[in-house]
Amino acid sequence: MNRLPHVSMMGGMDVRANEDEIAEAGAAADSRAVARAAGVNLVGMAARSSRALVTLFVTRVAGPGVFGLFTLALAVVDIVGRLALFGMDKSLLKFVPEGRERGEEGRYETVAAAIWIGIGLGTATSLAVVLLAPWIAGRWLDEPGMSLPLRVVGLSVLPTTLASLLLAATKALKIMRYDAFVTGMLMPLGLLLLSVPILWAGDDLTVLALAWTGSCVAALVVSAWFFRRHFSLRRALRRPRGEALRRMAGFSAPLGLHDFVQFFSMKLELFILAAFVAPVELGVYALANELATVVRKFRQVFDPILIPLMSEAHDLGNTARLEAHMARVLRWILVLGVLYVGALALFPRPILGIFGPGFAAGAVVVVMLSGAQLLNASTGLLDTAMLVSGRPRINLLNMSLVLVVQTGLNLWLIPRRGLLGAAWAALAAYGLVSLVRLAQTLWILHLRPLDRTHLKPLAAGAAAAAVVAVVDRAVLGGGVAWAWVPLLVAFAGLYALFLRGLGFEEEDAELMRAVLRRGKEKRAGV
């Protein structure tokens, strides 16, 4: 297209051309920001694989029974921790950048409000778990021996809440490496090192609880150190004005309730299963669920940087830019998610068998749960669009729907089908809410986040899985030990090949290279 420099003659076209150039420059800058932040978060997600070492250690040394009860104890504090955090981690992502416009004092008011509310709620919820631990263990979970471990992990709620808020403040400045280090490396490795005494301890569950709480305290100390590099800790701890407290509490309340309902619905099947199955079976399901929820982390790679960018696009009224962000990241989630879920679907038994021979019984369960989490992670991005548009209550209604449907199905199916019943309930609930999210995005926000390019990862994954399955069953007979390892490598290679053959978006390919390059630089210390 020829440029027309004469403003006097073609001023309108020049203005439009300049606007197009500005829009393209803004989109390119956004893409680079997403790539840089996602690269850091990708390194953090890879570092979180150290959590798998903890799981492997516990399952191999303590067995599925102890692992099931430990997971149950952490589920209690995870749910309670959502109440303590109160959605303020997400509020900080929105308010801290806005606080810059009101001046430095406004930014500190926002951070201080979150910290003071967090201290109050964290202290109250920690004490509640400690005091109610005998009742929770004996009456609710029907495991009286869990009383002391519950009290120990209950002490972790306050430091975890404060660490999350301090890290959220730095993420609001688009600094992702601190969160990647603390949650991706420090906490899992700390838990692993502190749980080593389990080899000599008589009470495995209590030692694991102590290791967990110790790693959370260490996370708070390091998070405070990172926080001080960009904020004054003294000013952040100054008592905020009532207006700042009300603003933070008012905006965060629906977010906190949404997170609470979401976490409760995710952990609900564990509590219902605990009433109907033995701890060993509970451990099998807990491991399958832990492997399946890895899919959610693919979305979390992009969330911290995507929320500020989508919020900016919405505030500017730039619908095309907002829609482009959603469509691009949704493709990336599908590319990563289909690869991971496909691997689990092809070889669930040998993968579960790594953690111990008793876990292979969860083969079908882990496939169903990973499929449910892929649906949740993909359409969960639409919740972010609702959030930045100022409609967090719709997300709360969606998660309430998941909770109601999943609770009803769990109570109906678990007594009849056990672990499979819980998996069916999760798949049905997340399938339903995915359809609801898509409808809301179309009718309320008038956005179209899906197009034909999103079918390419699904088609490539199905084709690659079919080829590998035929080779495994028809050629190798499905009985060659450890043949699944090279077959998984072949699946990944075929998947990439088929994606390229289907015409993978060049923009996506370029940005994924930027993500991987940034991750490599971070690992090299650049």
Side-chain angles (χ1 to χ4, degrees):
M1 180 178 179
N2 295 327
R3 292 194 180 273
L4 300 171
H6 301 292
V7 178
S8 59
M9 297 177 60
M10 304 294 291
M13 293 188 67
D14 269 348
V15 169
R16 285 194 296 272
N18 289 336
E19 288 177 348
D20 290 343
E21 290 175 1
I22 292 171
E24 290 176 6
D30 287 348
S31 297
R32 288 193 297 270
V34 171
R36 285 195 300 269
V40 176
N41 290 339
L42 189 63
V43 174
M45 190 180 73
R48 285 185 179 91
S49 61
S50 57
R51 176 65 184 267
L53 296 177
V54 179
T55 301
L56 180 62
F57 177 77
V58 174
T59 53
R60 282 288 184 177
V61 175
V66 170
F67 178 71
L69 295 178
F70 179 58
T71 303
L72 200 60
L74 292 188
V76 173
V77 296
D78 277 346
I79 292 171
V80 172
R82 292 297 104 184
L83 289 176
L85 196 54
F86 204 56
M88 292 183 295
D89 53 337
K90 293 185 176 66
S91 296
L92 286 173
L93 294 177
K94 175 178 174 60
F95 288 149
V96 169
E98 292 178 357
R100 280 180 166 179
E101 298 174 3
R102 302 195 309 272
E104 192 175 69
E105 194 61 36
R107 187 174 66 175
Y108 275 105
E109 280 279 330
T110 297
V111 175
I115 290 177
W116 276 91
I117 295 173
I119 290 173
L121 292 177
T123 301
T125 50
S126 287
L127 288 175
V129 174
V130 171
L131 295 175
L132 296 175
W135 179 86
I136 295 173
R139 297 291 185 86
W140 186 21
L141 303 179
D142 196 26
E143 292 288 344
M146 287 185 61
S147 178
L148 179 58
L150 264 179
R151 281 177 166 161
V152 174
V153 296
L155 295 173
S156 70
V157 176
L158 177 58
T160 303
T161 299
L162 294 178
S164 297
L165 293 175
L166 297 177
L167 292 173
T170 60
K171 286 191 290 186
L173 302 179
K174 299 182 181 179
I175 303 171
M176 307 299 158
R177 61 183 180 274
Y178 300 149
D179 180 69
F181 177 79
V182 173
T183 62
M185 296 181 65
L186 177 65
M187 289 187 68
L189 290 176
L191 178 59
L192 178 62
L193 293 175
L194 292 173
S195 61
V196 166
I198 196 174
L199 290 169
W200 299 277
D203 188 347
D204 295 347
L205 192 56
T206 302
V207 171
L208 286 171
L210 286 167
W212 170 262
T213 301
S215 67
C216 292
V217 172
L220 173 58
V221 173
V222 175
S223 298
W225 186 75
F226 284 142
F227 179 84
R228 288 188 60 191
R229 299 179 68 175
H230 304 277
F231 296 89
S232 166
L233 193 57
R234 179 182 57 82
R235 294 180 66 182
L237 291 174
R238 188 181 301 167
R239 186 179 295 275
R241 293 178 300 173
E243 179 187 351
L245 290 170
R246 287 191 295 271
R247 181 169 181 253
M248 177 61 66
F251 187 84
S252 301
L255 300 177
L257 288 174
H258 169 267
D259 286 352
F260 172 77
V261 172
Q262 182 181 43
F263 268 73
F264 190 71
S265 65
M266 288 168 52
K267 307 295 182 181
L268 180 64
E269 68 267 26
L270 292 175
F271 301 123
I272 298 177
L273 279 168
F276 291 100
V277 303
V280 171
E281 292 178 279
L282 182 64
V284 171
Y285 187 89
L287 177 63
N289 191 53
E290 185 170 317
L291 292 177
T293 52
V294 170
V295 179
R296 285 192 300 117
K297 300 185 187 303
F298 299 143
R299 174 190 159 193
Q300 293 168 0
V301 167
F302 304 100
D303 258 357
I305 188 62
L306 193 61
I307 291 176
L309 291 177
M310 290 179 67
S311 180
E312 180 183 349
H314 177 268
D315 292 342
L316 294 173
N318 195 332
T319 303
R321 188 171 169 186
L322 179 60
E323 195 173 83
H325 282 320
M326 295 172 62
R328 182 187 306 118
V329 174
L330 181 55
R331 279 196 299 271
W332 292 357
I333 292 172
L334 284 173
V335 167
L336 296 171
V338 168
L339 177 63
Y340 182 79
V341 174
L344 285 179
L346 282 169
F347 304 105
R349 287 184 176 276
I351 291 174
L352 288 170
I354 295 173
F355 298 89
F359 290 99
V364 178
V365 173
V366 75
V367 175
M368 294 174 66
L369 290 177
S370 60
Q373 289 299 332
L374 182 58
L375 285 172
N376 185 38
S378 301
T379 61
L381 189 66
L382 308 182
D383 283 353
T384 304
M386 286 293 176
L387 170 64
V388 301
S389 70
R391 298 178 175 89
R393 288 178 176 80
I394 291 179
N395 296 343
L396 176 58
L397 289 175
N398 290 344
M399 291 316 305
S400 298
L401 173 65
V402 173
L403 179 60
V404 170
V405 171
Q406 197 168 4
T407 301
L409 291 176
N410 276 322
L411 292 173
W412 177 44
L413 293 172
I414 287 177
R416 293 167 174 79
R417 301 296 302 276
L419 306 187
L420 277 177
W424 275 115
L427 187 58
Y430 284 118
L432 176 61
V433 80
S434 295
L435 293 175
V436 171
R437 285 166 171 164
L438 286 170
Q440 290 169 339
T441 305
L442 288 170
W443 294 338
I444 298 175
L445 300 181
H446 307 292
L447 297 174
R448 297 180 180 275
L450 295 176
D451 55 44
R452 59 183 179 81
T453 65
H454 295 105
L455 295 175
K456 294 179 181 180
L458 301 175
V467 173
V468 171
V470 168
V471 172
D472 182 42
R473 272 74 170 180
V475 179
L476 300 178
V480 179
W482 292 101
W484 63 275
V485 176
L487 286 174
L488 272 185
V489 176
F491 168 67
L494 288 171
Y495 179 57
L497 186 64
F498 288 145
L499 269 178
R500 185 171 183 177
L502 288 171
F504 192 50
E505 304 305 302
E506 180 55 33
E507 177 197 28
D508 293 347
E510 181 181 346
L511 288 175
M512 286 302 290
R513 285 193 294 269
V515 168
L516 295 174
R517 184 169 59 251
R518 182 64 176 172
K520 186 181 297 184
E521 290 173 356
K522 285 293 177 183
R523 287 194 299 272
V526 176

